[in-house]
Amino acid sequence: LISAQDSTKIGVPTQLASLVERAGVPVVDGTDFDNCNQAGYNVYGLYSGSHNAIVMCLNNIETAQQYVNTYTHEAVHLVQDCRAGLDNHQFDSGKQEYIDDLWAGLSAAKQDNIINSYDHTEWNDEIEAFFWENSPEVVAKGVSKFCF
């Protein structure tokens, strides 16, 4: 288990780490998880809707900034889970017009990553997560608004 305090020491803003913890969502080291050890992919983290948990692939994360961006990215998936209802295994990434606006704001590299690395059924969720992964303060507001 990775505590909110440990995440803030790495650089995650205190507000975001505290809200994730307060939401009852554990953050775990996924180094030994199969999902963190996929050949040919650098998986940095994932959010498990079925377990309401953030998994950080510490074996693949090389810098503090990667950790913060990954944590924030996965916290967006928490927000999506909270929008849909935390215990129903579904995500709500928002209205299509919102997603289209976010898509237009993503770099070509992030767009290519989404298209080439994710099933099309996950694209909207990933568009929102990749768009906001550099904005932990915005994501903290989302956690506060939708998870409590």
Side-chain angles (χ1 to χ4, degrees):
L1 201 61
I2 303 169
S3 71
Q5 185 178 14
D6 288 341
S7 289
T8 59
K9 285 179 186 172
I10 296 170
V12 174
T14 303
Q15 182 186 26
L16 179 58
S18 297
L19 286 166
V20 168
E21 188 172 74
R22 224 176 86 214
V25 174
V27 179
V28 299
D29 176 359
T31 297
D32 295 327
F33 292 16
D34 289 343
N35 288 339
C36 289
N37 296 298
Q38 297 180 27
Y41 289 97
N42 252 350
V43 177
Y44 299 125
L46 57 113
Y47 177 80
S48 171
S50 57
H51 296 100
N52 298 331
I54 292 175
V55 177
M56 298 295 290
C57 300
L58 298 181
N59 55 315
N60 296 328
I61 295 173
E62 297 175 358
T63 67
Q65 192 59 54
Q66 268 182 341
Y67 183 94
V68 173
N69 290 356
T70 301
Y71 188 105
T72 305
H73 178 111
E74 301 312 331
V76 173
H77 294 311
L78 166 60
V79 171
Q80 294 165 344
D81 196 10
C82 288
R83 277 192 203 122
L86 201 53
D87 292 316
N88 69 4
H89 312 297
Q90 296 177 5
F91 290 176
D92 177 357
S93 52
K95 297 185 186 302
Q96 192 59 49
E97 183 179 326
Y98 165 70
I99 295 300
D100 291 345
D101 287 345
L102 298 183
W103 176 256
L106 285 177
S107 68
K110 286 186 178 183
Q111 289 178 348
D112 289 345
N113 183 26
I114 292 167
I115 291 168
N116 295 318
S117 302
Y118 296 92
D119 185 84
H120 75 278
T121 60
E122 300 173 335
W123 285 0
N124 285 356
D125 298 334
E126 294 303 328
I127 289 166
E128 186 179 33
F130 276 105
F131 187 88
W132 294 114
E133 69 184 9
N134 296 314
S135 303
E137 295 80 10
V138 173
V139 177
K141 288 178 185 174
V143 174
S144 182
K145 179 177 181 177
F146 294 106
C147 298
F148 298 99

